[in-house]
Amino acid sequence: MPDSPPPSDNIVIDVRHVEKSFGDGSNRIHVLKRVDFQAQTGEITMLVGPSGCGKTTLLSAIAGTMRVDSGEIRVFGHSLEKMSGPALTRFRAQKIGFIFQQFNLIPTLTVAENVGVPLLIQGLSNGKALKRSRDILEKVGLGDRWKERPNKLSGGQQQRVAIARALVHEPPLVICDEPTAALDAQNGEIVMDLFRQVARSADRSVIIVTHDNRIFSYADRIARMDDGEIVEVKEQDTGGQPHFEHPVHV
Ligand SMILES: Nc1ncnc2c1ncn2[C@@H]1O[C@H](COP(=O)(O)OP(=O)(O)O)[C@@H](O)[C@H]1O
Ligand SMILES: [Mg+2]
């Protein structure tokens, strides 16, 4: 890999020479080998690559839910490795909306209560949190399901609840691990249009890990990962209207 470019004002994620291993001795696996990765405001960056190459591990490092062994990760100019645990937790709650591959919904809460969690963490009242949760549920097509428990919903509906929860507090950085895998074309398009609106609003950025070639046309930039390294970064012209069902092979 050539050295990554110097930071510009638009770069909100700047990952430099990051390494991470799991396990000890003969069980040790080197998952992130020497990762350099950037994401900019105004853009949807997609991270693609074969299963097991380290995509989720890299997202966890950027989201600050996992510490790395070496290298530097700057998010909005702050070095994550220099933050204490509590500072990192606060930073994450304010700045990042994370959509996990496994949704991670809380089964004992209603759909609207699940979506409202980030707002309660920020100190909003229950009433205000409920109103904003219902508004965003409306936008993802689940306005009439807000009172139900997540297990009453289909996989695609649960995925949209997880997406609503990641967007409800309007975080400047939205990080998604396979956000459209369980969605049909219509709902995939609704969700991608929402992500696009987020990426196009001031000082915000969206990073999406995906295998879903139905959504590649939405990417402003595609980073390809293989065996613990970013091996290629391609810019795409998304000046026209990207379309969900039209596959673009990269
Ligand atoms: N907490 C962990 N402990 C041990 N191994 C892990 C852990 N997390 C991920 N791995 C391993 O790291 C590799 C990369 O995993 P992951 O980042 O989930 O890949 P991807 O998201 O690209 O499919 C896999 O071999 C996986 O088994
Ligand atoms: Mg993964």
Side-chain angles (χ1 to χ4, degrees), residues 18 34 59-60 69 92 102 111 115 135 147 149 237:
V18 157
R34 191 176 189 273
L59 286 193
S60 308
D69 299 334
R92 199 166 52 228
Q102 307 303 335
V111 161
V115 172
D135 287 347
K147 273 187 182 166
R149 308 281 158 190
D237 180 5

Side-chain angles (χ1 to χ4, degrees), residues 4 11 13-17 35-39 45-47 58-59 62 207 223 230 233:
S4 32
I11 291 186
I13 303 291
D14 196 4
V15 174
R16 297 209 174 226
H17 310 341
V35 173
D36 292 291
F37 174 82
Q38 280 84 35
T45 304
M46 287 190 195
L47 180 61
L58 177 57
L59 286 193
I62 292 170
I207 301 174
I230 302 291
V233 179

Side-chain angles (χ1 to χ4, degrees), residues 55-56 101 177 209:
K55 302 181 299 296
T56 295
Q101 211 165 354
D177 206 350
V209 161

Side-chain angles (χ1 to χ4, degrees), residues 118-216:
L119 299 174
L120 298 181
I121 290 173
Q122 289 188 351
L124 250 72
S125 68
N126 281 332
K128 281 190 178 147
L130 180 63
K131 178 167 187 326
R132 280 180 58 181
S133 301
R134 290 186 62 183
D135 287 347
I136 187 89
L137 281 165
E138 199 73 52
K139 285 193 184 162
V140 298
L142 292 172
D144 55 345
R145 310 302 296 270
W146 64 277
K147 273 187 182 166
E148 298 192 42
R149 308 281 158 190
N151 68 0
K152 289 280 187 304
L153 271 52
S154 71
Q157 289 167 336
Q158 291 184 32
Q159 188 155 39
R160 282 183 280 150
V161 176
I163 290 165
R165 181 183 54 188
L167 298 179
V168 73
H169 55 310
E170 301 184 350
L173 177 63
V174 176
I175 297 180
C176 331
D177 206 350
E178 305 276 3
T180 54
L183 301 184
D184 59 23
Q186 189 191 355
N187 285 308
E189 188 153 6
I190 288 171
V191 162
M192 288 312 300
D193 286 342
L194 269 177
F195 288 145
R196 192 171 154 81
Q197 270 177 38
V198 169
R200 296 287 184 266
S201 49
D203 302 323
R204 298 179 79 188
S205 184
V206 177
I207 301 174
I208 301 177
V209 161
T210 189
H211 280 105
D212 187 350
N213 63 10
R214 299 175 302 175
I215 68 173
F216 287 162

Side-chain angles (χ1 to χ4, degrees), residues 3 16 31 68 79 96 99 125 128 132 144 212 229 240:
D3 265 350
R16 297 209 174 226
V31 175
V68 297
S79 293
I96 303 178
I99 298 155
S125 68
K128 281 190 178 147
R132 280 180 58 181
D144 55 345
D212 187 350
E229 289 180 279

